[in-house]
Amino acid sequence: MSAVVEFRGGSAMIPASRDVVHGFVARLAERGADPADTFLDAARLVASELVTNALRHAPGPCRLELTLVDDQVEIAVSDTGDGFPTFLPRDPLRVGRHGLEIVTRLCDEVITRPHATGKTVYARLPLR
């Protein structure tokens, strides 16, 4: 099971990404999946953080793809930027730029892969 949305750009794609996740999780429930009570909020946060990074650091459109893989949901965001995400050391005094820190804490795996027109960041979030 998967869902794919192409965003053309602009800040409206951030809340739209959360709506896509909400619809995807509702479809999971219809098919009998039983995610943890915190899953929806975590998935919405991960998707919006990754889409926000694409908006801030890459020119052009981005693509959000959600895929059920065993007992996890893979949240993949592709963009046209050639720079990889920068994982900063933990710093509770830093204002902002905590998105990837949050994503890596919530997800079992976060991987970035280049492709011909940019990169894709894949984050795997456990259902439970």
Side-chain angles (χ1 to χ4, degrees):
M1 185 172 135
S2 65
V4 178
V5 177
E6 303 278 345
F7 294 114
R8 295 172 55 180
S11 61
M13 65 188 198
I14 298 165
S17 70
R18 291 189 291 263
D19 293 342
V20 171
V21 169
H22 187 86
F24 183 77
V25 172
R27 286 181 33 225
L28 285 176
E30 289 171 3
R31 292 188 173 202
D34 184 28
D37 292 340
T38 58
F39 180 81
L40 175 59
D41 289 336
R44 289 171 53 131
L45 180 58
V46 169
S48 65
E49 288 294 340
L50 295 178
V51 169
T52 297
N53 285 348
L55 177 64
R56 286 189 179 156
H57 303 291
C62 80
R63 171 187 168 118
L64 170 64
E65 184 169 2
L66 306 168
T67 307
L68 179 63
V69 180
D70 299 323
D71 61 344
Q72 299 179 326
V73 171
E74 182 175 82
I75 302 168
V77 176
S78 302
D79 63 43
T80 58
D82 56 5
F84 274 42
T86 302
F87 292 88
L88 300 173
R90 186 176 181 278
D91 180 0
L93 299 178
R94 183 177 62 242
V95 176
R97 300 193 64 199
H98 291 280
L100 286 175
E101 186 178 338
I102 293 166
V103 170
T104 57
R105 291 229 176 222
L106 292 172
C107 295
D108 284 351
E109 182 177 40
V110 180
I111 298 171
T112 303
R113 291 192 178 118
H115 51 77
T117 59
K119 69 179 167 305
T120 302
V121 179
Y122 300 89
R124 291 224 174 162
L125 182 65
L127 288 170
R128 295 228 141 247

